[in-house]
Amino acid sequence: MDKNEIYRMLPKVDRLMTEENIQEMISRHGYECVHKAVNSVLGRAREGLARCGSEQEARACIAEIPEQIRRVLEGWERPGLKPVVNGTGIILHTGLGRAPLGESALQAAMKIAGGYSNLEYDLEKGQRGERCLNFEELVCRVTGAEAAMAVNNNAGAVLLALSAVAGGGEVVVSRGELVEIGGGFRIPEIMELGGARLREAGTTNRTRLTDYENAVSGETRAFLKVHTSNYRIVGFTCSVSLGELCKLGRARKIPVIQDLGSGVLVNLEKYGLEHEPTVQEAVAQGADVVCFSGDKLMGGPQAGIIAGRKEYIEKIRRHPLVRALRIDKFTAAALEAVFREYLHPESEEVKIPVLHMLSETEDSLRRKAENMAASLRNAAGIHSADCSPGERERRAEQPGVLAEIAVEPCVSRTGGGSLPMQDIRSYAVTVAPREITAEELGRRLRGKEIPVIGRISGERFFMDVRTVEEKYGGYLSEIFRGGDILRKGGRP
Ligand SMILES: *Cc1c(COP(=O)(O)O)cnc(C)c1O
């Protein structure tokens, strides 16, 4: 059979569109959509036919066309952005959307997003008002600041604060704090964007108060302190505390801007973690402007909060960049709800998922991991590995054993460039498949309707249970039911 004859076997678009199974797709997806899918599949089939050697092969190719059309249509319907199961143990995983929101924030966002609100409307005067003023007082009560506002994210907050307070002048920063946060956020570049000139003080490992004093000139408009949230300088070091710098700032009438990065509003020591400077401390130590993220350790939506002295917040509010960086209405609603949770400091870890995950004890995590491992083994029909290591190995060698599913200690991280040196002990469910590689298992799990993201180490797939939401327990068992996901050539 020559190529032209093979091409002639390809069904015509118009005829395909009248076929019964295609008609059924049209009733579900609409004529236009199906027409596009048919054209796209036929185009690909034509290329496929060019590679077919025999008539038989060509017929097999053509027989697959309706199924391919169905798959294309289903692919178009599927949302691109979807929930995932976070088994990485990284609580603020930037790739996975950082902080999950708690119930009150979700409710607040939903209530506001679906209708009109007084987002920028002064109800008393009956006219246009200012965005974010609705919860300014609340932010002030929680942080102790005189005034506050919020923008799209903390990178925006720092850019805006620098532009408004120091644009056209110089900003003095310690060389030990010229950081890159990730995703291209570098302090020197942000400074340049904000129209301020960088004036470096001290050295990478040591900066003293006199270094700041010597860097001051007639052009100095601000001191900037950046919390080195994603790295530590250790060894022969010295730095100037925020309190000391604020004293110098007051004496020289130079405002101090503190980029705190992750905005912590509680003392993390109560969860057995290292102390991380809180927003309240920065305000109390005299920082004139404090910038921090909404979706890092604060546990809220993506936002950049700027809190500080009224004089500077007013100045920042009037800067034209505010319009470009403004916060969206459902973010504002969620942010307000999260701040409200911080008015009750005895129960935040119940209401704020990030703090809940941080506060979980090793004991409770081990139990959670053991329960999960047992359900997965059960679902996959695998015997318990709950025996001596020798016995376990002997059983694992037996033919027909699909995998070893066990519980192992592991280390969680806060992520989001916070608490970089902190090891947070946790437990993982580990799966060591026998017929396929751990990489292949990881790939199969990522391909699921709700993808499961984990870590691979030593030929085992690790799921740190600290970040796996309780509600996914049943879903994970379903995935392992029957053990097909672990089988070579199985239909995962
Ligand atoms: C994370 C971080 C930022 C950026 O905050 P985003 O909310 O991600 O925009 C800025 N500065 C520091 C010190 C940070 O840790």
Side-chain angles (χ1 to χ4, degrees):
M1 223 177 172
D2 75 19
K3 284 284 170 220
N4 283 333
E5 267 177 276
I6 287 187
Y7 284 142
R8 268 199 292 278
M9 287 162 61
L10 205 62
K12 297 273 175 300
V13 177
D14 292 343
R15 191 180 66 63
L16 256 181
M17 292 299 282
T18 61
E19 273 185 17
E20 198 180 327
N21 48 5
I22 303 286
Q23 283 289 316
E24 192 231 327
M25 293 181 209
I26 292 173
S27 67
R28 194 132 34 100
H29 301 275
Y31 185 89
E32 281 301 317
C33 228
V34 176
H35 196 261
K36 277 204 185 95
V38 165
N39 270 318
S40 134
V41 169
L42 285 181
R44 258 187 290 154
R46 182 175 293 276
E47 288 168 26
L49 285 183
R51 289 189 296 271
C52 285
S54 67
E55 184 183 337
Q56 203 178 2
E57 252 181 80
R59 280 195 199 288
C61 231
I62 286 164
E64 275 176 23
I65 286 175
E67 181 53 30
Q68 281 168 352
I69 294 170
R70 185 186 312 282
R71 255 187 293 182
V72 165
L73 286 166
E74 275 171 13
W76 286 349
E77 297 272 304
R78 228 173 280 135
L81 184 60
K82 48 192 160 190
V84 305
V85 179
N86 179 4
T88 65
I90 301 168
I91 296 174
L92 301 167
H93 194 301
T94 301
L96 304 184
R98 286 199 190 154
L101 291 181
E103 198 48 39
S104 61
L106 286 178
Q107 291 299 334
M110 211 138 71
K111 209 151 129 191
I112 294 303
Y116 298 111
S117 59
N118 61 334
L119 179 68
E120 242 177 61
Y121 189 82
D122 187 328
L123 292 173
E124 215 160 284
K125 296 187 186 139
Q127 62 190 36
R128 184 81 178 252
E130 277 195 69
R131 192 170 291 227
C132 286
L133 282 188
N134 347 38
F135 62 90
E136 180 178 13
E137 195 223 305
L138 174 63
V139 180
C140 293
R141 251 196 299 161
V142 172
T143 62
E146 281 175 17
M149 59 184 290
V151 291
N152 181 59
N153 59 9
N154 189 36
V158 175
L159 171 64
L160 174 62
L162 284 170
S163 313
V165 175
E170 282 184 4
V171 178
V172 179
V173 193
S174 159
R175 287 199 169 91
E177 297 176 8
L178 293 173
V179 307
E180 171 172 327
I181 303 304
F185 180 91
R186 292 173 154 194
I187 288 295
E189 285 163 19
I190 292 290
M191 194 88 77
E192 200 176 311
L193 263 179
R197 287 185 306 283
L198 173 66
R199 187 66 196 265
E200 299 176 22
T203 60
T204 303
N205 57 333
R206 292 175 75 84
T207 302
R208 298 184 191 76
L209 199 59
T210 49
D211 294 319
Y212 281 100
E213 280 176 310
N214 294 338
V216 171
S217 74
E219 298 287 294
T220 307
R221 297 283 176 279
F223 289 125
L224 172 68
K225 255 193 99 60
V226 184
H227 181 47
T228 56
S229 37
N230 56 0
Y231 69 100
R232 289 280 182 276
I233 295 178
V234 293
F236 184 56
T237 65
C238 96
S239 60
V240 176
S241 75
L242 177 63
E244 286 174 273
L245 189 59
C246 290
K247 243 185 248 159
L248 176 64
R250 271 196 300 281
R252 298 291 187 91
K253 298 201 166 22
I254 297 168
V256 174
I257 301 173
Q258 162 88 64
D259 173 10
L260 261 187
S262 185
V264 195
L265 292 163
V266 294
N267 188 350
L268 290 181
E269 283 168 22
K270 73 174 179 182
Y271 306 134
L273 298 168
E274 246 169 59
H275 182 77
E276 176 81 359
T278 66
V279 178
Q280 293 92 325
E281 285 164 5
V283 170
Q285 283 159 12
D288 297 278
V289 177
V290 182
C291 302
F292 60 100
S293 282
D295 59 350
K296 288 189 183 169
L297 288 169
M298 178 178 160
Q302 179 190 302
I305 297 107
I306 310 176
R309 278 190 220 294
K310 208 177 181 87
E311 165 189 3
Y312 297 107
I313 301 294
E314 297 280 298
K315 199 167 176 185
I316 293 169
R317 234 197 284 278
R318 287 194 302 271
H319 194 277
L321 262 179
V322 169
R323 176 64 182 76
L325 296 170
R326 75 184 179 189
I327 192 169
D328 163 80
K329 62 176 173 292
F330 50 87
T331 307
L335 195 59
E336 174 175 353
V338 178
F339 269 111
R340 214 170 282 289
E341 302 289 8
Y342 281 101
L343 289 177
H344 313 288
E346 61 291 337
S347 64
E348 319 103 345
E349 67 265 22
V350 184
K351 308 277 183 53
I352 299 172
V354 166
L355 297 183
H356 177 74
M357 287 186 249
L358 273 177
S359 66
E360 274 217 74
T361 63
E362 273 180 70
D363 259 357
S364 117
L365 289 164
R366 187 167 37 75
R367 273 196 303 277
K368 190 172 162 189
E370 274 160 8
N371 288 338
M372 189 192 287
S375 342
L376 296 191
R377 277 194 295 261
N378 235 335
I382 295 170
H383 292 300
S384 167
D386 198 11
C387 49
S388 70
E391 170 68 8
R392 205 159 34 172
E393 233 155 67
R394 198 185 58 73
R395 283 193 203 174
E397 295 305 323
Q398 287 169 6
V401 172
L402 283 172
E404 188 182 333
I405 300 181
V407 171
E408 293 182 52
C410 68
V411 171
S412 309
R413 301 257 170 215
T414 50
S418 55
L419 306 178
M421 308 295 274
Q422 186 94 1
D423 283 353
I424 311 169
R425 296 223 298 257
S426 182
Y427 283 91
V429 172
T430 63
V431 184
R434 293 277 173 257
E435 297 188 6
I436 58 173
T437 61
E439 272 80 15
E440 171 62 14
L441 176 61
R443 202 183 56 76
R444 289 179 179 188
L445 288 169
R446 285 199 307 279
K448 286 288 163 192
E449 175 126 344
I450 301 175
V452 181
I453 318 288
R455 204 161 45 74
I456 287 164
S457 170
E459 262 312 297
R460 298 186 312 292
F461 181 84
F462 275 70
M463 251 185 307
D464 183 337
V465 294
R466 189 187 290 273
T467 48
V468 175
E469 295 164 72
E470 212 77 57
K471 65 178 179 194
Y472 287 129
Y475 171 71
L476 288 168
S477 298
E478 261 335 290
I479 289 183
F480 280 80
R481 185 150 325 278
D484 263 7
I485 188 135
L486 301 163
R487 246 175 223 118
K488 191 174 184 159
R491 262 183 68 98

